[in-house]
């Protein structure tokens, strides 16, 4: 189903922002809470990580993903679609749980960890989380129609695959 004429573009929005389909909406609605979880995980590193490279990587993840959350939330508003609110549960996916999602128990374990134990847990969880984001972004590239959303999805694939490689290298070193 194409929503290309469902909502006019927001003031100053590009013409491409007006053209979207269900895959674009699903991508933004799923990636916003997925990114929020990554930002939450990354925020823990400032006071819990002992490895300087882990702290730096986490700060970079937080700095990159918050603007992407803001961008996707803006798209959803321009498209007349609901944006997930902070703390909202993730919309159900037809094929199961959101890829790379961390359970409440995982987050409690990470929150309780300190030092080298935190570093290893953080990297292991963030690798899985990033792999999930890459899968979701690849779905958008394959099925979406909004050029801006597809460009962001491609950036997510490129950036997060590079971060996965870096995290694996750090994890091997620890």
């Amino acid at each position: 189903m194409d929503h290309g004429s469902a909502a006019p573009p927001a003031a100053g929005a590009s013409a491409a922002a007006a053209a979207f389909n269900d895959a674009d909406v699903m991508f933004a609605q799923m990636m916003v809470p997925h990114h929020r979880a990554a930002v939450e995980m990354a925020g823990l590193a400032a006071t819990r990580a002992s490895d300087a490279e882990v702290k730096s990587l986490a700060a970079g993840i937080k700095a990159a993903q918050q603007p992407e959350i803001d961008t996707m939330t803006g798209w959803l508003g321009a498209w007349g679609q609901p944006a997930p609110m902070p703390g909202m549960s993730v919309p159900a996916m037809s094929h199961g749980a959101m890829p790379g999602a961390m359970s409440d128990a995982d987050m409690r374990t990470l929150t309780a960890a300190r030092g080298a134990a935190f570093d290893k847990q953080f990297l292991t969880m963030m690798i899985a989380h990033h792999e999930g984001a890459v899968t979701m972004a690849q779905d958008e590239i394959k099925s979406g129609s909004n050029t801006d959303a597809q460009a962001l999805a491609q950036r997510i694939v490129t950036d997060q695959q590079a971060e996965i490689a870096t995290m694996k290298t750090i994890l091997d070193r620890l």
Side-chain angles (χ1 to χ4, degrees):
M1 172 182 234
D2 192 324
H3 293 110
S5 61
S14 69
F20 65 96
N21 66 16
D22 287 344
D24 299 314
V25 172
M26 179 64 79
F27 169 69
Q29 287 179 332
M30 296 297 288
M31 194 62 76
V32 165
H34 198 272
H35 270 20
R36 283 183 183 142
V39 168
E40 179 183 352
M41 290 167 59
L44 296 172
T47 58
R48 290 169 174 80
S50 61
D51 187 88
E53 201 172 358
V54 170
K55 286 184 179 191
S56 176
L57 178 78
I61 289 169
K62 190 173 177 180
Q65 292 194 17
Q66 186 59 55
E68 292 174 357
I69 291 167
D70 297 340
T71 295
M72 290 181 283
T73 301
W75 291 340
L76 290 166
W79 297 337
Q81 301 296 312
M85 299 302 293
M88 279 181 60
S89 62
V90 177
M93 292 182 69
S94 59
H95 59 275
M98 180 172 48
M102 297 299 125
S103 70
D104 289 342
D106 290 334
M107 289 301 292
R108 282 191 299 274
T109 300
L110 184 64
T111 300
R114 299 283 187 281
F118 175 89
D119 296 340
K120 290 175 184 177
Q121 183 72 21
F122 172 82
L123 293 168
T124 301
M125 288 175 62
M126 193 61 79
I127 288 167
H129 197 79
H130 272 25
E131 288 170 345
V134 167
T135 297
M136 292 164 55
Q138 288 170 332
D139 289 345
E140 167 61 18
I141 292 165
K142 181 178 74 171
S143 303
S145 69
N146 182 275
T147 56
D148 293 334
Q150 289 189 311
L152 176 58
Q154 186 57 61
R155 258 192 339 271
I156 288 169
V157 169
T158 301
D159 294 350
Q160 293 198 14
Q161 284 177 334
E163 289 173 353
I164 289 166
T166 298
M167 288 186 283
K168 286 180 177 180
T169 299
I170 297 168
L171 194 55
D172 287 345
R173 172 176 57 76
L174 294 178

